[in-house]
Amino acid sequence: MPFVGEEDHQRLRIHPMEGEAPAPPTTPLVPPGSSRSEKGIPLHHPPLLRSVPAVYSKPRKRSCFCKCMCWTISVFVLLLIILAAIVGILYLVFKPKLPDYSVDTLRISDLRLNFDMSLYAKFDVKITANNPNKKIGIYYEKGGKLSVWYTNTRLCEGSLPQFYQGHQNKTVLDVSLSGQVQSGSTLMTALQQQQQTGRIPLDLKVHAPIAIKLGRLKLMKIRVLGECLLVVDSLSSNNLISIKASNCKFRMKL
């Protein structure tokens, strides 16, 4: 075996010869952050977990929408309360009452069958319009109608005049009504048979658009709808007809 000097021995330790396994390290490598057990086995500690606060986006749009809806509903309810209070105060101060009407006289100017078998009727009616209110005036507007019906058939119709009616005022109105009914032969026969009994039922209907006046203030238009159930003794032309019974009802509609 050749002689190996000290320098060659050091060189062999640093650079092992080819085919020779390197010497194991004398000190085992321990990863940083780990510790040893009693038997020398390294123990690995899990890394510490840091809690990251969750970031939530605020629902700003929904919150603003809810606030707007709440404000809108609150304002609407407040307006309703104020309106109800005003109406209540006006009702207590003025104590409004519906106008009423009565049929004074009824005269038939013409009632005949034409050559085409249509029925022509012309009535003259005198009615009294009464305003019972102490502090409310009534404007009778354009478009008022007065009509006479028999068994759901309109015989004739006329227009109510336009006028102003003051407080607690009664106004007599003379209204001329006229109309024509097709296939009037059947209707004329029924009227003649009814006339033999001396009690002919007629229905007088009132449609009056009016406006209320409170002091100097003229309010919105409303409609007075009335119905008078009449019983007359005959339908003779050019004669004053006796009204045996009259029952009138009225209501108001916006």
Side-chain angles (χ1 to χ4, degrees):
M1 180 175 180
F3 178 78
V4 179
E6 185 66 24
E7 291 181 1
D8 296 331
H9 182 71
Q10 292 294 334
R11 190 181 299 111
L12 289 173
R13 291 183 61 185
I14 296 175
H15 301 285
M17 293 181 64
E18 200 177 312
E20 184 180 356
T26 57
T27 303
L29 297 177
V30 179
S34 64
S35 60
R36 293 176 177 271
S37 64
E38 294 180 354
K39 295 182 180 181
I41 301 174
L43 299 177
H44 295 277
H45 295 283
L48 297 178
L49 300 178
R50 298 175 60 186
S51 60
V52 180
V55 179
Y56 297 97
S57 60
K58 297 181 180 180
R60 295 181 179 179
K61 293 184 178 180
R62 186 175 180 181
S63 177
C64 293
F65 177 76
C66 292
K67 289 182 179 180
C68 292
M69 287 297 297
C70 291
W71 274 105
T72 303
I73 295 173
S74 300
V75 172
F76 182 72
V77 172
L78 181 61
L79 290 177
L80 286 180
I81 294 174
I82 294 174
L83 181 61
I86 293 174
V87 172
I89 293 173
L90 291 177
Y91 182 84
L92 293 176
V93 172
F94 293 96
K95 298 179 180 179
K97 298 178 182 179
L98 276 175
D100 58 82
Y101 307 87
S102 60
V103 182
D104 301 330
T105 61
L106 176 64
R107 184 186 297 271
I108 297 178
S109 303
D110 198 355
L111 184 64
R112 69 177 187 271
L113 280 174
N114 296 324
F115 292 108
D116 59 355
M117 302 306 294
S118 62
L119 178 65
Y120 177 78
K122 185 177 181 180
F123 290 13
D124 294 319
V125 182
K126 181 178 289 187
I127 63 173
T128 298
N130 177 35
N131 177 15
N133 297 282
K134 295 181 179 180
K135 300 179 180 180
I136 297 177
I138 299 176
Y139 287 97
Y140 283 83
E141 303 287 347
K142 184 179 180 181
K145 298 291 184 181
L146 186 67
S147 57
V148 176
W149 297 66
Y150 175 74
T151 62
N152 297 324
T153 301
R154 187 175 62 188
L155 298 177
C156 51
E157 184 180 66
S159 299
L160 292 173
Q162 293 179 252
F163 66 99
Y164 171 75
Q165 190 174 33
H167 308 158
Q168 293 185 314
N169 177 266
K170 291 184 178 182
T171 304
V172 178
L173 305 174
D174 291 312
V175 184
S176 179
L177 316 176
S178 61
Q180 190 169 340
V181 181
Q182 301 297 326
S183 303
S185 58
T186 304
L187 185 59
M188 176 63 84
T189 301
L191 287 172
Q192 289 174 350
Q193 292 177 354
Q194 193 75 51
Q195 186 169 335
Q196 293 177 3
T197 65
R199 296 181 65 86
I200 305 170
L202 296 177
D203 188 2
L204 188 143
K205 296 183 179 182
V206 178
H207 176 272
I210 63 174
I212 303 300
K213 183 182 180 183
L214 301 178
R216 295 183 178 181
L217 182 62
K218 184 177 179 180
L219 302 182
M220 65 178 183
K221 292 182 181 181
I222 58 177
R223 290 181 292 170
V224 175
L225 304 178
E227 187 174 13
C228 293
L229 301 178
L230 308 177
V231 177
V232 299
D233 61 346
S234 69
L235 294 176
S236 301
S237 300
N238 297 319
N239 288 326
L240 190 63
I241 297 173
S242 174
I243 300 175
K244 293 187 174 183
S246 176
N247 182 20
C248 297
K249 296 180 181 180
F250 301 93
R251 60 189 177 91
M252 184 172 59
K253 187 176 182 180
L254 297 177

